[in-house]
Amino acid sequence: MDKKHIITLKQLRALRAIGDLGTFAEAAKALNLTPPAVTVQIRQLEQALGSKVLLRAPNGSNTPTAVGVEILKLAVKIDINLENSLNTIESIKSGQVGSVTLGVVSTAKYFAPWIVAKAKLELIGLDIELFVGNRNDIISALEQNKIDLAIMGRPPRHPSVEAEVIGEHPHVLIAESNHSLTSISDNSSRLYLSAFGKLLENETIIIREQGSGTRILMDRFLGQFSDEIVFTKKEMSSNETMKQAVMAGLGIALISASTIEAELRDKRLVCLDLPGLPIIRQWFLVYKNSSINNPATKAFKNFILDQKEKLLRTGINSNQLIYNHAAV
């Protein structure tokens, strides 16, 4: 039989106790065993190795042989590794170490890296991966357990998930800074819905691809107008492309306010102050109940919820939106 299969921790600890304390009697006392039981452990160890591990002096003291010295080194290494492993297990159980994957819809990618960076500073030892996709990508990743937590604008019906609000998520209609619609203010000219629709009928409306949460919201927004109004739409696959198109004067777009902080600040884009705008939604932290069984996931979830007001780094909320009006 392979020696490593018959050498036990009890045998190694008996030898180590004798090496530390000198006698079988003292070792037995430390191990809460009888001296004969310790003798059995040493005899079995020597049989497994085919060699003596201790030399016994007439006064009852014991000295390790060369083989005994080598086995004592092994015993010390095993105890150290076992202690380290047990400490790591406790850290895993408490969520101090482990891995978590956070999925975010593309409109959240402007602040999600800050959440991950902050978490890594406070949850040392936690490995956090960031997965970015459109709404359909995130839902699919949740279904397939590819992500543990998700940040999105509207929780899915399937799969079954838990969802907790983490902050406000305004959507705005944006245009280039000198666009003609900047002369119309919701506060100064209360437009009837039909009149507002007619104004938009003359514009090219830039929309996201199918499967995007922003696309769903825009379709609902336009759906409030008369069926007789036909809108000119141009589809684009990313928020960055949409912003560039609007700044180039190719149209107007409904977009998450979290994506345009820099452009509003630099006045490269403006929010149109028109009826029904901004559209206020919420950001949600979404997860399947089963994923919270992972201590690391639970620790990261609690971190986000406890610090959500500081972490949601959109730079703007519904009370801070920047409008630019020409003379009315």
Side-chain angles (χ1 to χ4, degrees):
M1 183 180 291
D2 195 337
K3 290 182 175 62
K4 64 177 178 289
H5 292 150
I6 55 177
I7 295 174
T8 68
L9 286 176
K10 286 184 177 181
Q11 295 164 5
L12 297 179
R13 284 175 179 157
L15 178 62
R16 188 174 179 186
I18 295 169
D20 290 341
L21 300 172
T23 68
F24 278 68
E26 291 299 319
K29 189 184 300 182
L31 296 171
N32 199 26
L33 297 172
T34 63
V38 173
T39 300
V40 169
Q41 295 298 332
I42 297 301
R43 185 180 298 122
Q44 290 176 343
L45 178 61
E46 290 178 333
Q47 288 174 349
L49 294 170
S51 176
K52 287 284 186 183
V53 295
L54 291 170
L55 293 175
R56 192 164 190 171
N59 63 0
S61 64
N62 295 273
T63 303
T65 64
V67 172
V69 170
E70 190 62 29
I71 291 298
L72 281 171
K73 291 178 183 178
L74 173 63
V76 170
K77 289 179 182 178
I78 289 174
D79 278 346
I80 291 172
N81 288 335
L82 184 58
E83 182 68 22
N84 289 339
S85 293
L86 291 174
N87 289 336
T88 299
I89 288 168
E90 287 303 312
S91 295
I92 291 171
K93 288 164 61 179
S94 65
Q96 294 176 19
V97 300
S99 61
V100 182
T101 300
L102 174 66
V104 300
V105 292
S106 55
T107 48
K109 70 182 181 182
Y110 296 87
F111 60 83
W114 295 94
I115 294 177
V116 173
K118 179 70 172 175
K120 286 188 173 183
L121 288 176
E122 302 214 7
L123 302 174
I124 298 172
L126 204 62
D127 180 27
I128 305 171
E129 297 292 331
L130 187 61
F131 173 83
V132 181
N134 67 23
R135 176 179 170 80
N136 285 347
D137 294 332
I138 298 302
I139 293 174
S140 177
L142 279 168
E143 286 179 324
Q144 298 174 42
N145 297 315
K146 291 182 178 179
I147 58 177
D148 302 294
L149 299 168
I151 294 177
M152 58 198 312
R154 183 168 57 89
R157 293 182 180 179
H158 302 287
S160 178
V161 296
E162 296 293 325
E164 303 191 49
V165 174
I166 58 173
E168 195 176 79
H169 184 197
H171 284 73
V172 293
L173 197 61
I174 57 171
E176 58 178 321
S177 58
N178 62 350
H179 195 282
S180 60
L181 286 179
T182 60
S183 63
I184 301 172
S185 169
D186 184 29
N187 297 321
S188 60
S189 298
R190 289 285 175 179
L191 297 172
Y192 289 106
L193 196 61
S194 60
F196 182 24
K198 284 294 183 182
L199 285 175
L200 297 182
E201 186 179 24
N202 298 323
E203 303 293 334
T204 297
I205 300 174
I206 299 170
I207 59 175
R208 284 289 302 272
E209 79 284 1
Q210 291 285 353
S212 162
T214 305
R215 169 64 175 270
I216 294 170
L217 194 58
M218 185 55 157
D219 287 343
R220 290 180 177 178
F221 178 70
L222 296 178
Q224 69 184 314
F225 302 109
S226 170
D227 292 339
E228 297 177 359
I229 299 177
V230 178
F231 297 104
T232 302
K233 302 176 185 177
K234 186 171 183 61
E235 184 176 299
M236 294 187 179
S237 60
S238 74
N239 292 312
E240 291 302 318
T241 307
M242 290 175 68
K243 290 191 292 185
Q244 293 298 323
V246 173
M247 286 188 283
L250 298 181
I252 62 176
L254 186 75
I255 200 167
S256 167
S258 63
T259 69
I260 54 170
E261 178 183 355
E263 290 81 6
L264 292 182
R265 184 174 57 245
D266 299 339
K267 297 185 178 179
R268 289 175 288 162
L269 289 172
V270 295
C271 299
L272 298 177
D273 190 8
L274 296 170
L277 296 170
I279 301 172
I280 306 300
R281 292 293 184 266
Q282 305 293 328
W283 284 115
F284 290 88
L285 182 65
V286 175
Y287 52 90
K288 294 167 72 175
N289 272 328
S290 58
S291 68
I292 303 304
N293 293 329
N294 177 356
T297 301
K298 185 175 182 179
F300 189 34
K301 175 186 80 80
N302 291 339
F303 170 82
I304 293 175
L305 294 177
D306 290 344
Q307 302 197 38
K308 59 187 177 184
E309 293 182 3
K310 298 177 182 178
L311 294 175
L312 201 64
R313 191 179 182 273
T314 62
I316 46 180
N317 58 40
S318 59
N319 296 317
Q320 298 173 312
L321 293 173
I322 300 170
Y323 296 95
N324 182 32
H325 301 300
V328 178

